[in-house]
Amino acid sequence: MSDTSVSISPEDIQPTVLPDAFIRKLNTLSLPRYNQLPNVTLYRDQVIEYIELWMEPLSICVEQPVITPSMINNYVKVGLVPAPVKKQYGREQIARLISICIFKQVLPIAAVQALFNIQRLSYDAPTAFDYVIDQLEASIRAAFSIEQVPVPDTAHQVTRESLLVRSAVSSFVSKAYLMSYLKFNGFK
């Protein structure tokens, strides 16, 4: 039996790493909490611009476009986001849209709706959003760290609801980690 396979060289199996600047950017990522979101109402185009800016540090990790006018209209139509008042969106709506942009990367919209409904049973909007962001930052730091770092649960009280949200955030970060490395290595 003859072996016609190509020999593997040491260069073929050397690990590839993401650029240090990218790793530093993610490890120092500081995303706004609920009370840091705009406290004035914004028109839809302003909301889109704000969310795109907010999501920019994660742009290599997420499917594009992150948000469009028709996406916002659909989220309002299915009840994921309350309807705008006089065509303007407030802090709670912006927080919801940001959460949707994260969760839709790994969950179908119907599952995002179910997750919001479950989360609403235990948490008000500011607490729920801040928990998502706390878990997102901690999970990103753990995933993109050289050392193996456990992800602390930042919930004031760990509940089934908080564990579901934590799982969704962890899924997003796992996908982000994988896609970052694949894109760095030429995957389109």
Side-chain angles (χ1 to χ4, degrees), residues 5 10 18 27 65 78 80 87 101 110 135 145 164 166 171 186:
S5 61
L18 289 169
N27 280 323
V78 299
L80 267 170
K87 298 185 178 187
C101 290
Q135 285 302 130
S145 175
L164 289 173
R166 181 183 165 128
S171 296

Side-chain angles (χ1 to χ4, degrees), residues 138-139 141-143 145-152:
S139 295
R141 285 190 187 94
S145 175
I146 305 272
E147 302 101 35
Q148 195 164 17
V149 180
V151 179

Side-chain angles (χ1 to χ4, degrees), residues 117-155:
N117 291 341
I118 291 168
Q119 195 177 23
R120 231 181 282 147
L121 297 173
S122 300
Y123 305 104
D124 62 1
T127 303
F129 181 76
D130 288 350
Y131 179 67
V132 168
I133 301 309
D134 288 343
Q135 285 302 130
L136 179 62
E137 286 181 357
S139 295
I140 286 172
R141 285 190 187 94
F144 288 91
S145 175
I146 305 272
E147 302 101 35
Q148 195 164 17
V149 180
V151 179
D153 196 316
T154 59

Side-chain angles (χ1 to χ4, degrees), residues 18-51:
L18 289 169
D20 288 343
F22 178 74
I23 298 288
R24 269 192 302 281
K25 181 179 176 181
L26 286 178
N27 280 323
T28 59
L29 186 65
S30 179
L31 302 169
R33 298 313 189 259
Y34 188 88
N35 66 356
Q36 296 169 315
L37 296 175
N39 64 354
V40 296
T41 56
L42 302 177
Y43 289 102
R44 186 177 60 193
D45 288 344
Q46 294 171 309
V47 169
I48 291 169
E49 186 178 325
Y50 179 79
I51 291 173

Side-chain angles (χ1 to χ4, degrees), residues 8-173:
I8 297 175
S9 69
E11 293 80 27
D12 293 330
I13 58 173
Q14 283 185 343
T16 56
V17 295
L18 289 169
D20 288 343
F22 178 74
I23 298 288
R24 269 192 302 281
K25 181 179 176 181
L26 286 178
N27 280 323
T28 59
L29 186 65
S30 179
L31 302 169
R33 298 313 189 259
Y34 188 88
N35 66 356
Q36 296 169 315
L37 296 175
N39 64 354
V40 296
T41 56
L42 302 177
Y43 289 102
R44 186 177 60 193
D45 288 344
Q46 294 171 309
V47 169
I48 291 169
E49 186 178 325
Y50 179 79
I51 291 173
E52 286 174 342
L53 180 66
W54 194 94
M55 295 288 288
E56 192 282 325
L58 304 171
S59 62
I60 193 172
C61 314
V62 297
E63 295 173 16
Q64 301 293 334
V66 173
I67 189 108
T68 65
S70 62
M71 287 178 189
I72 293 175
N73 291 343
N74 288 335
Y75 301 151
V76 169
K77 189 185 299 184
V78 299
L80 267 170
V81 177
V85 176
K86 296 181 183 176
K87 298 185 178 187
Q88 294 182 322
Y89 297 83
R91 185 180 277 172
E92 185 171 342
Q93 293 155 312
I94 294 168
R96 280 237 172 171
L97 288 165
I98 290 169
S99 296
I100 292 167
C101 290
I102 293 166
F103 292 141
K104 76 176 184 176
Q105 301 294 319
V106 293
L107 295 171
I109 291 301
V112 174
Q113 177 72 39
L115 187 61
F116 281 174
N117 291 341
I118 291 168
Q119 195 177 23
R120 231 181 282 147
L121 297 173
S122 300
Y123 305 104
D124 62 1
T127 303
F129 181 76
D130 288 350
Y131 179 67
V132 168
I133 301 309
D134 288 343
Q135 285 302 130
L136 179 62
E137 286 181 357
S139 295
I140 286 172
R141 285 190 187 94
F144 288 91
S145 175
I146 305 272
E147 302 101 35
Q148 195 164 17
V149 180
V151 179
D153 196 316
T154 59
H156 298 291
Q157 180 178 359
V158 178
T159 63
R160 288 184 189 140
E161 293 81 10
S162 69
L163 292 174
L164 289 173
V165 171
R166 181 183 165 128
S167 293
V169 170
S170 294
S171 296
F172 167 77
V173 172

